Amino acid sequence: MKKILSLILVGITAVCTTAQTSEIEVSYTAYMPNMRDGSAGPSNQYILLANESQSKFYSPRTEYIDSLNSTPDGRAKYQEMARNAYFSGNMDNMPSKDGTYYIVKSLDEDKHIYYDNAGLDKYFYEEPVPRWEWEIGDSVKEILGYECFKATTDFHGRHWTVWFTPEIPIMNGPWKFDRLLGLILEAESEGGEYRFVATGIQQTRKPITPVYLADSYERTNRIDYLKAKRAFLDNPMGQINAQLGGNITVVKADGNTADDAPLFVPSSVVDLIETDYHK
């Protein structure tokens, strides 16, 4: 089956006439640390839609909520869903996001576009496709039935190990990873704080649609975004009160307020996925 998929992908690439149509859909589980205490944190479900030159990496649940909030009728539906969950006492039905960022790659235009929030603020930035310095190892393992090869690299402050399969000839992968001779199915930072693991692969002709509410994001650059993200984690209530003009205090389960004990641990305990903003 994996050989057939690889051959079909080559055929689709040859006849594809629009860069906005994907050839493959890959599901990933994205693991990250808990910023509150530095322990192993929550996981998010992401999807990669990709063809040979373009892709979008996103949370389908987050995109669904953003799609609702992009129209008046959708916002009304979202608010109704939230009210029903609240008044029924079943908060598990409350519509909630799963992961916050979108990454749109255009390899033929040599750029990535990253969308995310830093507290209450939403930002996007463009950056050139990284000039990866991959070191290919001789280790091999099987992932989802595909023979994968090991590659390592240093990227924006962390050392990464990834596993890619030349059997799927798309030079892409989770998060910002790309430019290997095959699809990247796993990636892990040194120490294991951040990790992406493919859980499913299928052919598709889904469109690679624009990010909903893209015009609500403020343009910035990568380093300034990371600094804004860290600044919010270091003083969330100060920034929230400054923006809302209020004096909100959070009382934690142990009875302490956020002023007595910070809501998030410092970067010396656990840091963002990219750490080179400290320079």
Side-chain angles (χ1 to χ4, degrees):
M1 176 62 187
K2 61 185 181 181
K3 297 291 187 182
I4 294 173
L5 176 58
S6 195
L7 290 172
I8 291 175
L9 283 172
V10 173
I12 291 175
T13 299
V15 301
C16 185
T17 59
T18 172
Q20 283 71 43
T21 300
S22 58
E23 300 171 11
I24 194 168
E25 177 179 331
V26 190
S27 301
Y28 292 90
T29 298
Y31 298 91
M32 61 179 291
N34 188 328
M35 292 295 181
R36 293 185 180 275
D37 59 13
S39 63
S43 62
N44 304 119
Q45 304 306 309
Y46 275 82
I47 283 177
L48 175 71
L49 290 179
N51 58 37
E52 67 173 357
S53 63
Q54 293 197 350
S55 67
K56 183 170 71 173
F57 189 68
Y58 67 99
S59 159
R61 201 164 84 189
T62 297
E63 183 178 63
Y64 172 65
I65 292 176
D66 287 345
S67 72
L68 290 177
N69 286 318
S70 68
T71 66
D73 288 345
R75 283 193 297 273
K77 179 179 179 181
Y78 174 80
Q79 291 165 3
E80 180 182 4
M81 293 165 62
R83 282 194 301 269
N84 290 341
Y86 177 79
F87 287 116
S88 69
N90 189 354
M91 299 305 289
D92 289 340
N93 290 335
M94 179 73 76
S96 60
K97 295 186 176 184
D98 177 45
T100 61
Y101 60 83
Y102 297 83
I103 300 177
V104 179
K105 302 175 187 175
S106 180
L107 302 185
D108 52 356
E109 295 180 4
D110 190 39
K111 68 178 180 181
H112 291 175
I113 308 177
Y114 185 93
Y115 300 83
D116 202 357
N117 63 53
L120 300 181
D121 296 315
K122 299 169 68 176
Y123 295 101
F124 83 95
Y125 61 83
E126 295 185 13
E127 61 180 339
V129 174
R131 296 298 178 257
W132 300 98
E133 295 183 4
W134 292 111
E135 182 175 336
I136 310 299
D138 54 8
S139 299
V140 178
K141 74 173 180 177
E142 186 176 289
I143 302 173
L144 296 178
Y146 294 92
E147 185 179 53
C148 296
F149 296 88
K150 180 180 178 180
T152 59
T153 191
D154 293 309
F155 183 63
H156 292 172
R158 291 187 184 273
H159 184 72
W160 288 88
T161 297
V162 309
W163 295 88
F164 70 99
T165 177
E167 295 178 29
I168 303 179
I170 287 183
M171 296 190 297
N172 216 311
W175 192 52
K176 295 184 177 182
F177 297 116
D178 53 31
R179 297 295 193 187
L180 275 169
L181 295 178
L183 181 68
I184 297 169
L185 296 182
E186 283 190 17
E188 183 173 359
S189 65
E190 188 172 33
E193 285 186 325
Y194 291 89
R195 187 161 58 104
F196 302 90
V197 180
T199 58
I201 304 171
Q202 63 181 2
Q203 287 178 252
T204 186
R205 297 289 291 172
K206 289 182 180 179
I208 302 175
T209 57
V211 172
Y212 287 101
L213 301 171
D215 58 358
S216 66
Y217 292 78
E218 179 183 347
R219 178 184 287 273
T220 187
N221 61 66
R222 185 180 67 86
I223 295 298
D224 285 349
Y225 163 73
L226 293 168
K227 288 181 177 179
K229 185 86 168 182
R230 187 70 248 179
F232 176 80
L233 293 173
D234 289 341
N235 185 23
M237 297 315 302
Q239 292 201 18
I240 290 172
N241 284 321
Q243 291 191 33
L244 299 182
N247 188 23
I248 301 170
T249 300
V250 174
V251 179
K252 299 166 58 173
D254 59 8
N256 290 320
T257 68
D259 293 332
D260 299 327
L263 292 176
F264 303 104
V265 295
S267 61
S268 58
V269 176
V270 63
D271 210 346
L272 305 178
I273 191 169
E274 295 172 288
T275 64
D276 57 337
Y277 66 96
H278 292 291
K279 296 178 181 178

